[in-house]
Amino acid sequence: MDIKIKRLLTFMLLAISMVLVFIGTGLIAMYLWEGIIVRIGDSDQSLIFWYLPILFIGFFSLGSGIVLFI
């Protein structure tokens, strides 16, 4: 019974870490695309600053997913 619980916990943590990695990668990519690439040439560059929380949440999520996976 103890082995089944360990195996279930392992698969649950693996799934959670994969979701965190995908979310973090998506948020970082969104910041790069929406905050920087789309705004090239615009006179208002404030979204580079205002989207920073999205970037930091992405880094935190990606790092948490990698640490949880390890």
Side-chain angles (χ1 to χ4, degrees), residues 27-58:
L27 287 173
I28 292 170
M30 187 188 80
Y31 173 79
L32 291 174
W33 181 258
E34 291 289 328
I36 296 176
I37 294 174
V38 172
R39 306 288 174 220
I40 292 176
D42 286 349
S43 60
D44 182 20
Q45 297 289 322
S46 66
L47 287 181
I48 293 173
F49 172 74
W50 289 109
Y51 282 179
L52 278 177
I54 293 172
L55 179 66
F56 293 143
I57 292 170

Side-chain angles (χ1 to χ4, degrees), residues 19-32:
V19 168
L20 285 172
V21 166
F22 286 132
I23 289 172
T25 305
L27 287 173
I28 292 170
M30 187 188 80
Y31 173 79
L32 291 174

